[in-house]
Amino acid sequence: MCANGGSTDTTAAPEHPGEPDDETRLVEVVRRARNGGASPHDVFETFLRARVYCERPDTPGFLTVTASEVPGEDQHAPRGSRILDLAVVSDATEQPTRLVPVFTSLEQFALFTGGGAWFSTTGADVLGLLPPGLDVWLDPAAEHAVRLTSAATRIEPVLHISYRSRGSAA
């Protein structure tokens, strides 16, 4: 995991960048999936390996936006991190859907948030750290923005049992 140390400079490169093609590869797979040229599984697999960026809160956690407050759906909705708040996990069953803005590059991060503190990690780490019920909103300010629902990205252990007949005794 990398972070910019609280600096508001969003152009600073992480100390250990991912593969140079991570952003391009993920964006292209999303675009191909929208046109039927790639499967949701392809998007998921590419996201797992990609280096992604998130806005870094003051305390550990993920900053989120309520799906009903998505910028652009309401003329008066504020942009970027001004509408973000820390996700709180509670026992309430009727919580509105929460989206975690995740970005393929620092440029996409800056387009949505206007700049600020960030951290980067792999898509697999993001999914492994997200509390239940949060969805990923990939590059929300881009034309290729996509929502990865938590139900579709959840990895659960499965027990498979099969039986063999032993045949009959003579």
Side-chain angles (χ1 to χ4, degrees):
M1 190 178 301
C2 300
N4 68 342
S7 165
T8 58
D9 178 15
T10 60
T11 60
E15 291 177 25
H16 306 288
E19 295 178 38
D21 294 336
D22 276 355
E23 173 192 0
T24 304
R25 186 176 307 127
L26 182 53
V27 170
E28 283 306 311
V29 169
V30 168
R31 285 182 179 143
R32 285 191 357 251
R34 285 179 168 232
N35 295 323
S39 70
H41 180 75
D42 295 333
V43 173
F44 178 69
E45 288 296 319
T46 306
F47 178 78
L48 289 177
R49 292 186 302 273
R51 167 96 21 214
V52 294
Y53 302 85
C54 298
E55 189 167 3
R56 187 171 57 85
D58 292 332
T59 58
F62 285 96
L63 293 168
T64 69
V65 61
T66 303
S68 63
E69 297 173 343
V70 171
E73 291 186 359
D74 176 0
Q75 295 285 3
H76 304 292
R79 286 192 68 229
S81 60
R82 292 175 295 207
I83 61 172
L84 301 178
D85 57 44
L86 281 174
V88 178
V89 178
S90 73
D91 295 330
T93 57
E94 292 298 321
Q95 285 186 321
T97 302
R98 307 293 295 176
L99 305 174
V100 176
V102 176
F103 308 93
T104 56
S105 68
L106 290 173
E107 291 79 16
Q108 286 296 324
F109 172 82
L111 281 173
F112 184 74
T113 65
W118 55 267
F119 70 92
S120 70
T121 189
T122 63
D125 284 343
V126 168
L127 294 180
L129 295 169
L130 281 182
L134 296 180
D135 293 348
V136 170
W137 192 18
L138 186 66
D139 287 346
E143 96 308 319
H144 62 266
V146 67
R147 179 176 172 177
L148 305 173
T149 61
S150 58
T153 59
R154 184 174 40 239
I155 300 172
E156 296 180 351
V158 175
L159 175 63
H160 180 79
I161 301 173
S162 32
Y163 295 96
R164 283 191 311 196
S165 64
R166 295 198 174 248
S168 57

